[in-house]
Amino acid sequence: MFKPFTLFVFNLNKSNVFIRAKYATAVLPQFSANKYAVERKKFGTVRPSDIDYFRTILSKERILTDEEDVLPYNIDWIKNCRGQSQVVLRPTTTEEVSQILRYCNNNMLAVCPQGGNTGLVGGSVPVFDEIVLNLSLMNKIISLDEISGALVCEAGCILENLDNYVREHNLIMPLDLGAKGSCHIGGNVSTNAGGLRLLRYGNLHGTVLGIEAVKADGTVIDCLRTLKKDNTGYPLKHIFIGSEGTLGVITKVSIHCPAQPRSVSLGYFGVEKFENVLELYKSAKSSLGEILSAFEMADNESITSTVNNLKLSNPIGDYPMYVLVESHGSDENHDNEKLNRFLTQGMESGLILDGTVTSEPNKMKSIRNIRESIAGSGLIDGYVFKYDVSLPLRNYYDLVEDLRKKLGDRVTRVYGYGHVGDGNIHINVTVPQYSKEINSELEPYIFEQVSKLKGSISAEHGVGFRKPQFIHYSQGDTSLELMRELKRTMDPNGILNPYKVLPDVASYE
Amino acid sequence: MARVLVGVKRVIDYAVKIRVKPDKSGVVTDGVKHSMNPFDEIAVEEAVRMKEKKLASEVIAVSCGPTQAQETLRTALAMGADRAIHVEVAGPEYETLQPLHVAKILAKLSQDEKADIVIVGKQAIDDDSNQTAQMTAAILDWPQGTFASKVEKSDSGLTVTREIDGGLEVIKTKLPAVISADLRLNEPRYATLPNIMKAKKKPMKKVSAKDLGVDLAPRIKILSVEDPPVRQAGSIVPDVDTLVAKLKEGGHV
Ligand SMILES: Cc1cc2nc3c(=O)[nH]c(=O)nc-3n(C[C@H](O)[C@H](O)[C@H](O)COP(=O)(O)OP(=O)(O)OC[C@H]3O[C@@H](n4cnc5c(N)ncnc54)[C@H](O)[C@@H]3O)c2cc1C
Ligand SMILES: Cc1cc2nc3c(=O)[nH]c(=O)nc-3n(C[C@H](O)[C@H](O)[C@H](O)COP(=O)(O)OP(=O)(O)OC[C@H]3O[C@@H](n4cnc5c(N)ncnc54)[C@H](O)[C@@H]3O)c2cc1C
């Protein structure tokens, strides 16, 4: 029991929170298939002869079959889902991916594409015995055009490594998120990840210039352009962005990297109530204009639980709401003038009760670390129900308060934090351990509320394994039917990431 | 009540990657983010706490360096220092500014300002000299409590807990005295917005080394600054058994 667990920790990437959190509760999650009563579809099971075939494609050490070795690839980051795969394949080239998929498609073997396995909706781990196709060895940077900012790399490159690399050339990655030390660019594109810089640099539908992907039958689709403009036919790259491994396996990505800002500042403020957070957002937009690059909020419970659970220090005192504002600009004096005006107004009007502001890299790092650690800190409480929704800003925080009332002391904590600038809030509910009863109080309740407010039940984390049955709260019948048609076209046998994204309908089998 | 003088140095921020100049004469500082030396932040914090505990009447921050040193002083003021003295040293003189010069400057200012306690960081993270506190104490002929991890007021002076090899040493000093701050002395605060605003209005005096009668002729010549050897690439082992075997092979366990 213990041995696989130590291995588990060995395999993880460097995110601190991550490792500490994993240590905190050394209990293996239940099998997803049992926990959520899923029925296995009629795929083949992997036989020794299949392994023999994979050995003709991949060297021995790139095929994992020992139970202990495979275990970490079967469990997701929040330790909610656990698959029963017996095989992990680790290709290093597009050609290998293509050969693997062609074989699996011909033999009706289901495949679960996996990146850094930081996804939060159970999409990145198998449900039954799907073969895990892990892209982590496809981690080469192919080219960087310093003039246009176009970076071309393989899908398994870790986001933080890419960011460090392009910074050497005075560029930055257009996205940044708490999982950056582990997540892959291919995973980011597959989930259409948002993150902390979206407000400024836009989402991946804008920044991804091209994609190379492999269809279920092994066909390589080469849309790996580095062009900003390319109106030749249908924009195929977009169907892979956010498709969560159900339409194809992304093998290479070309992405636009903006110039590294010469002046960066970070403010962290205490605010009295949520209405004031919104007022401050309005003020930030008008005073900071084009240099505003992040406007994030976290409620008191988010910060206190993070600071206490992870022994971090809170730069300022205890406040009902916290706001984090980041500015990216090209001229320090110009930015400071704008910031000063914003801060002075904020203090004078009482919207900002207290706060700190800094442009020292080490201090910015510590403050950002608090914000980025919120996502992981809840794991220390035991189990976390995580929701990631878009809501109209007026109603952004209502659901958190509503849930607190509804659940009372039957849960450890309810807290909300997120990207105010994007209308996206993360709602976390922590409990000592997973409880079906609490689960049924949360779902579909939360989705119903979100739907009533015309929000999205999944803002940036995707649908994955956990939400297909709720997708109709955000998508109409005709849209869903078109999605199914697309899936049938791309993957007629349904081998790619089954049980994910689209809910089952009888006609589809 | 005591008057405290704190030395603060502007150094390259520790989260920034250091680059050696191609001619090996030093490291690249142009366009590189700087901040207050972390040990000096601890020194400022300690001085401000002394003031908050009414052990000190006034905290004066001193920085020797180019115009940008004023930003570091503003940070000290925002953390709670009462006033600042900028000893302007710029250009080639700044490049060869050494602990002995700084010690002479601090010693002279301590006398001019009638300071009772001088607190500095135990070392600056750029040159790692660890000399300024000791030299300042020697020049003034004051007692010194270096590597302090705790400073308390006692009847006749201060009780200082020092971090030494393998443990702690507790000493008593009379006042006036020189203290150097070690990492565990305290956790420095973040400057809060109201204090950042207030700091803009606090007095900052500018003087030159010449005004203080300190000769800045270099005493040490830097022959060459070089990158540390590149670390050997690591390798990934498939399992714990191989890891243990490799460690044994290398004689590590
Ligand atoms: C002076 C001038 C300057 C221009 N500058 C630029 C420029 O800087 N950048 C640029 O990208 N283009 C430019 N264009 C071309 C540009 O494509 C069109 O101006 C514009 O985008 C087309 O809009 P429209 O309503 O005129 O569409 P139309 O010309 O009517 O139609 C264009 C195409 O879209 C289809 N279409 C139109 N409406 C719909 C609809 N509602 N649903 C489905 N299909 C529809 C049509 O069938 C047709 O295939 C320019 C054109 C002119 C004349
Ligand atoms: C601490 C933390 C903070 C986070 N913060 C944010 C945030 O701010 N914003 C945000 O949007 N998300 C956030 N996330 C979730 C986010 O979706 C993932 O971190 C990331 O985008 C997924 O990348 P990954 O490489 O880990 O993919 P995985 O988790 O391995 O996979 C995610 C999905 O993509 C598929 N997939 C992965 N790689 C490929 C590929 N090459 N081809 C086809 N399909 C593939 C998988 O099958 C799965 O469905 C956070 C997660 C954590 C743990």
Side-chain angles (χ1 to χ4, degrees), chain A residues 7 10 168 269 313 315-316 332 340 343-344 347 352 354-357 359-363 365-367, chain B residues 13-17 19 33-36 41 75 187 190-194 196-197 200 238-241 243:
Chain A
L7 267 179
F10 260 74
E168 298 276 317
F269 313 120
S313 61
I316 57 174
E332 200 167 323
N340 274 337
L343 295 176
T344 314
M347 300 281 292
I352 296 176
D354 194 4
T356 184
V357 63
S359 53
E360 294 182 10
N362 73 76
K363 294 225 167 60
K365 211 169 163 179
S366 313
I367 296 173
Chain B
D13 188 282
Y14 67 76
V16 169
K17 202 172 157 199
R19 273 169 226 272
K33 273 283 175 190
H34 285 65
S35 53
M36 190 191 297
E41 281 189 330
T75 306
E187 194 188 336
Y190 285 81
T192 62
L193 282 176
I196 293 171
M197 304 288 180
K200 291 183 182 165
D239 53 39
V240 175
D241 292 340
L243 175 67

Side-chain angles (χ1 to χ4, degrees), chain A residues 131-148:
Chain A
I131 293 168
V132 175
L133 187 64
N134 181 286
L135 276 290
S136 56
L137 298 180
M138 290 194 63
N139 56 6
K140 283 187 277 305
I141 292 170
I142 297 164
S143 68
L144 175 65
D145 182 335
E146 288 182 46
I147 299 171
S148 71

